[in-house]
Amino acid sequence: MALHFDASEYAARLDRLTARMAEEKLDALLLFAQESMYWLTGYDTFGYCFFQTLVVRADSSLTLLTRSADLRQARHTSTIENIVVWVDRVNADPAMDLRNLLSDMDLLGCRIGVEYDTHGMTGRVARLLDNQLTTFGQIVDASYLVSNLRLLKSTAEIGHIERAAALADDALDAALPLIRAGGNEADILAAMQGTILAGGGDYPANEFIIGSGADALLCRYKSGRRTLSEKDQLTLEWAGVDAHYHAAMMRTILIGEATTRHRELYAACEATIREIEAVLRPGNTFGDVFDTHARIMDERGLTRHRLNACGYSLGARFSPSWMEHQMFHAGNPQEILPDMSLFVHMIVMDSERETAMTLGHTYLTTEEAPRALSRHPLELLVR
């Protein structure tokens, strides 16, 4: 089987999950998040764009309900032994197949958790599911049960994250010689993604962000490439990926010269990250990280130009986003603990002056100070 971890690792994860299920008094848990299935069993597919779920019982038994196209995928990439196929047909209702499966498992009337908050659970799937299960048992929203367990990374997971961070650094190294007046975004993007794939990495869970000129102020990928001018700005957000584990980086790189405004915004970003490094340790919360970000940016008159979040947890993720649920935003009580992989980003966009500045990379938390996983310093890059 094509597994990235040994059997003891998967067994330990299942033990942690069933212990949490016992605390929540769950007789079974329906996993719809692909990253949850991957973390628990190694199951690796993009078949979650269709109806599929992994049923985890309190007794640690696992059953996957999926389509025929993913039968061999599950057998080859996961530890799952019991796989049930629902049949594609006109007016198919796989939620009915699920209800029958749960009935065969003697789960009628039981307390069942469901991962609702995931890309593998569309509105239609949720309606079909609720229609079949509302009268079947006690249905509980358990969207963050596995997600919270995944926050703390094992030694083996950290190895993949460190490899992903090295690939992210390699991608920047490949891009820098191409970032110049007359350089094309297409060549830069191809070099970055090609370097990661050539290094044995994976596709990212969302597109790399690339934009120059006015597009440097955008925080999302958009279609269309541009050639860099004599005086320009280029915003990049990308991630190295290894075994689906991500390590993200972000930079705004200047072509020709750095304006006074660019230097002001960079100074704010760099100062904020340095102060966050003192907060990014046990004893503080995700909300404390955001408060540090907001305080420094606001003191510098950048309230209108900053975002309402400044980073998030990273790990093994699937399309359409590499972001975890746990983000640095106001009031988030999530404690910072050792062995978390956290992406800290500063994004300041001054639309009035069409000036962009971003800065960020991924950290691994420890018992004390966090460890930056990038070998690149947080310096202002001017080409």
Side-chain angles (χ1 to χ4, degrees), residues 60 79 120 166 218 229 256 284 318 326 330 354 378:
S60 298
T79 62
L218 302 180
S229 303
N284 297 311
F318 288 75
Q326 300 85 358
E354 285 198 351
L378 294 171

Side-chain angles (χ1 to χ4, degrees), residues 203-223:
Y203 290 113
N206 57 255
E207 300 90 342
F208 290 177
I209 294 168
I210 183 168
S212 59
D215 292 343
L217 280 74
L218 302 180
C219 298
R220 297 286 184 263
Y221 172 87
K222 59 175 280 296
S223 180

Side-chain angles (χ1 to χ4, degrees), residues 219-237:
C219 298
R220 297 286 184 263
Y221 172 87
K222 59 175 280 296
S223 180
R225 303 282 80 85
R226 178 178 176 273
T227 298
L228 301 177
S229 303
E230 293 289 334
K231 294 181 181 180
D232 217 326
Q233 55 185 354
L234 175 72
T235 293
L236 298 169
E237 184 179 13

Side-chain angles (χ1 to χ4, degrees), residues 1-7 10 41-44 71-83:
M1 291 183 291
L3 297 173
H4 295 286
F5 302 94
D6 60 31
Y10 291 113
T41 71
Y43 180 38
D44 193 348
L71 174 63
R72 292 162 188 81
Q73 193 88 7
R75 285 177 176 167
H76 186 66
T77 68
S78 82
T79 62
I80 305 168
E81 296 184 358
N82 190 20
I83 303 170

Side-chain angles (χ1 to χ4, degrees), residues 20 30 62 121 167 186 237 239 241 247 258 265-266 272 281 347:
R20 284 290 291 119
L30 306 183
L62 305 172
M121 173 71 77
L167 290 171
E237 184 179 13
V241 192
L265 299 186
Y266 167 76
T272 304
R281 58 189 70 198
I347 300 176

Side-chain angles (χ1 to χ4, degrees), residues 332-363:
N332 188 343
Q334 173 62 55
E335 293 180 75
I336 295 171
L337 300 169
D339 299 328
M340 290 180 170
S341 55
L342 305 175
F343 177 44
V344 178
H345 64 62
M346 299 296 107
I347 300 176
V348 184
M349 303 303 188
D350 185 342
S351 297
E352 296 165 3
R353 305 190 200 183
E354 285 198 351
T355 303
M357 184 51 60
T358 66
L359 191 65
H361 56 207
T362 301
Y363 292 86

Side-chain angles (χ1 to χ4, degrees), residues 91-103:
N91 297 321
D93 182 357
M96 183 178 295
D97 294 77
L98 175 59
R99 179 187 174 113
N100 293 336
L101 175 62
L102 297 176
S103 180

Side-chain angles (χ1 to χ4, degrees), residues 134-151:
T134 298
T135 59
F136 181 85
Q138 183 182 358
I139 305 304
V140 179
D141 187 345
S143 296
Y144 310 116
L145 200 156
V146 175
S147 180
N148 287 332
L149 290 176
R150 295 177 59 248
L151 265 172

